[in-house]
Amino acid sequence: MTTVGIDAVEIWTGNLKLDLPGTFAPQKGEDPEKYTKGLGLNASSFPDSYEDIVTMGANAAHRLMERKGLEPDDVGRIDVATESAFDNSKPVSTYVAGCLEQVYEGDFHHANKGERKFACIAGTQSLDDAYNWIRAGRNRGRGAIVIATDTALYARGDAGEATQGAGAVAMYIAEDPDLVELSPEQGYGSADETDFLKPNQQFPSVDGKRSVQVYLARMREALQDFETVAGDVHPDDIAFIPFHTPFPGMVRKAGLLGYRYITRDTAIEEELAAEIGRQPREEAFDTEDDYHEALREYTDALKETDRYQQWYAETIDPTLTISREVGNWYTGSVHIARISAMKHALENGRDLTGETLLVGSYGSGAQAEIHAETVCECWDEEIEALNADEQLAARYDMSWEDYEEVHDAHNHEMDVDVEEFTTPEEEFVFDGWGRMGERKYRYVE
Ligand code: CAA
């Protein structure tokens, strides 16, 4: 069977940065460690006034095409996943194709274009669509560009304001990929939930505390469902688990519950029993409340064990490095977690070839999906080619006054005109409005 997966990946961060402990915390009258230790974030990436979901997506895709030597004729599909769209009819992928056609000889008239929406999980769903299209043999030898792009901003004063971010991930999905091969097995946890939504508004309505519980519940269902098709997951078989990362503190919770779940009925549970006892079994309790209380106590004890902490440090923590510096990229977030982990392996001289990643995606509203990926032989060349560190270091560090000025320029309901803080170079920029209210873009040399 032909292998299908992610051949290459590129990121594009918003060109501005908000320092959370240094700039945000003092204005909120909060301890900086709430951000660095509690939420696990140092900074948010932020779009300059000439940036939006199209520019960031097109810039990431352009880098991807240039690096892989792709021409429009190699691309049979362009899908954009976003929850920050500005048009209910014309998809963002048409704007991205329009941008790319400014810098390539050929065009994308032959390419199927679409836009995927299911909160943050839409990036992974677009990946699945591309995978299925190739596996169905409808791709005529071409690959798909999948772009996850968002301006993940919250209303001023919302608890989510600390977790903002903006950026895009572009991926090329193809046969015989260089980066990772996707598993055909998937597990889902999906339910009608009201935790985070944007009813025709750009800044979300969020029930933050509930959203955390919904994330964990759906992720657990997805893992259970995955095991029914792929067999039991064992911690020793997995190199990294990139989770959707709205903020690293969320993944700290997911990692702990995931470990408890996958070590149940294993030798690891037995080995830990001398220290913290065996995991509570529901049948041993008179009431559900007593069982849940016992589970909580076990989980608290598990978190303190050396065995768990070592597993977390090796398997989960490396997925969070980029997220700590950029915040939430919504649809792109799980995909930067993958990059983060692989970058960590490269920097530490670890050969990942043939190893397994377990990828946990999530979208509010709500749905989680788990699938596995096998790392391909040329993964190191792909990861080495990224310039993530340079992009992050080049961002303009906003003062509080800058932040107050630019924040609402990215709310579609408000017409806020703000001077740019940075000078665009070799990138697509927003260039004003057309006669039908469409957005215009140009490439700056
Ligand atoms: N030192 C160390 N830690 C501190 C601290 C300090 N001085 N002060 C607080 N903390 C810790 C808290 O104990 C807490 O950690 P635990 O959850 O492990 O206990 C953490 O910092 C955050 O503190 P609060 O819970 O008090 O923070 P908050 O209430 O202001 O905001 C939030 C938290 C509700 C999640 C908010 O960030 C939010 O609404 N975010 C947006 C929604 C979101 O991201 N939800 C995640 C799941 S939904 C999803 O994933 C989809 C998506 O992308 C949006």
Side-chain angles (χ1 to χ4, degrees):
M1 191 162 53
T2 320
T3 60
V4 178
I6 306 172
D7 188 52
V9 64
E10 284 288 347
I11 69 163
W12 191 276
T13 176
N15 285 334
L16 307 180
K17 165 185 157 185
L18 178 64
D19 182 321
L20 291 171
T23 306
F24 190 77
Q27 291 295 333
K28 295 283 164 184
E30 299 267 22
D31 179 353
E33 293 201 340
K34 170 176 176 181
Y35 302 100
T36 52
K37 295 212 168 122
L39 295 170
L41 290 165
N42 297 324
S44 305
S45 58
F46 218 82
D48 205 337
S49 54
Y50 59 84
E51 293 186 287
D52 65 14
I53 50 173
V54 172
T55 64
M56 295 187 300
N59 286 322
H62 186 207
R63 269 192 65 87
L64 182 81
M65 289 184 66
E66 287 295 285
R67 183 164 72 71
K68 294 296 278 188
L70 298 172
E71 293 295 326
D73 201 41
D74 299 315
V75 179
R77 191 176 171 109
I78 304 178
D79 282 323
V80 172
T82 185
E83 47 189 306
S84 324
F86 48 78
D87 194 305
N88 289 324
S89 176
K90 183 176 158 59
V92 172
S93 48
T94 59
Y95 283 103
V96 169
C99 287
L100 295 172
E101 282 170 357
Q102 292 180 32
V103 293
Y104 287 100
E105 290 279 315
D107 62 46
F108 294 94
H109 289 203
H110 58 274
N112 187 6
K113 306 179 189 83
E115 189 172 304
R116 255 291 190 172
K117 178 177 72 180
F118 195 148
C120 309
I121 202 172
T124 298
Q125 290 182 318
S126 299
L127 203 59
D128 288 341
D129 292 342
Y131 174 91
N132 294 338
W133 170 71
I134 296 173
R135 287 290 296 271
R138 294 176 132 184
N139 61 320
R140 294 189 246 166
R142 290 175 168 135
I145 290 183
V146 166
I147 298 167
T149 179
D150 272 298
T151 48
L153 306 190
Y154 290 76
R156 296 288 309 281
D158 190 288
E161 194 181 358
T163 67
Q164 296 175 125
V169 179
M171 295 170 272
Y172 188 60
I173 318 305
E175 292 170 56
D176 299 323
D178 283 342
L179 190 65
V180 290
E181 176 194 339
L182 303 192
S183 69
E185 296 85 9
Q186 294 169 289
Y188 288 103
S190 188
D192 177 10
E193 298 276 8
T194 309
D195 53 338
F196 171 111
L197 51 155
K198 292 176 152 195
N200 290 324
Q201 64 198 45
Q202 189 52 4
F203 294 169
S205 300
V206 194
D207 183 342
K209 300 286 181 206
R210 179 159 167 66
S211 73
V212 170
Q213 296 312 317
V214 174
Y215 176 120
L216 296 173
R218 301 289 80 79
M219 199 62 84
R220 183 195 164 97
E221 281 175 359
L223 186 53
Q224 284 171 328
D225 191 47
F226 179 74
E227 286 194 329
T228 64
V229 60
D232 286 351
V233 172
H234 192 281
D236 294 349
D237 299 336
I238 298 159
F240 296 112
I241 308 184
F243 278 110
H244 167 58
T245 311
F247 53 92
M250 180 72 241
V251 171
R252 211 165 46 222
K253 296 179 204 291
L256 180 60
L257 296 193
Y259 188 77
R260 190 189 73 202
Y261 180 80
I262 61 180
T263 54
R264 205 174 171 94
D265 295 323
T266 65
I268 297 175
E269 185 192 2
E270 295 309 324
E271 283 158 31
L272 284 168
E275 197 180 337
I276 58 170
R278 289 183 76 236
Q279 297 197 21
R281 270 37 183 195
E282 195 165 5
E283 54 278 13
F285 293 86
D286 291 335
T287 68
E288 215 176 295
D289 283 353
D290 288 348
Y291 170 58
H292 286 297
E293 183 51 35
L295 260 189
R296 259 192 299 277
E297 279 172 20
Y298 178 86
T299 312
D300 287 345
L302 178 65
K303 184 164 64 176
E304 301 306 324
T305 61
D306 290 346
R307 179 125 195 189
Y308 171 71
Q309 289 184 0
Q310 189 184 340
W311 176 83
Y312 183 87
E314 288 169 0
T315 313
I316 306 285
D317 198 57
T319 69
L320 304 174
T321 322
I322 300 179
S323 169
R324 280 196 190 97
E325 307 305 324
V326 302
N328 195 353
W329 283 12
Y330 287 165
T331 53
S333 150
V334 66
H335 305 291
I336 47 179
R338 180 197 295 104
I339 294 172
S340 231
M342 297 181 91
K343 192 165 165 295
H344 172 88
L346 184 74
E347 287 163 1
N348 288 280
R350 176 171 171 185
D351 183 8
L352 281 182
T353 307
E355 293 213 45
T356 303
L357 312 181
L358 193 71
V359 180
S361 303
Y362 175 74
S364 295
Q367 182 161 302
E369 188 255 20
I370 303 263
H371 70 259
E373 298 178 356
T374 307
V375 179
C376 302
E377 210 181 322
C378 298
W379 72 276
D380 48 347
E381 290 165 32
E382 290 304 315
I383 297 298
E384 196 157 23
L386 292 170
N387 70 343
D389 292 337
E390 290 82 346
Q391 285 192 39
L392 297 186
R395 292 173 297 173
Y396 169 84
D397 192 0
M398 288 186 286
S399 68
W400 181 251
E401 292 69 33
D402 297 337
Y403 170 68
E404 292 205 294
E405 209 182 317
V406 77
H407 183 278
D408 284 345
H410 299 283
N411 185 349
H412 301 160
E413 286 151 38
M414 300 169 81
D415 193 12
V416 184
D417 199 12
V418 182
E419 284 292 305
E420 56 238 38
F421 295 100
T422 55
T423 307
E425 206 177 317
E426 296 185 356
E427 62 192 273
F428 296 102
V429 298
F430 172 66
D431 196 28
W433 305 93
R435 70 184 175 91
M436 290 174 70
E438 77 275 24
R439 290 176 163 240
K440 292 183 157 308
Y441 297 93
R442 78 189 151 85
Y443 187 73
V444 176
E445 296 288 343

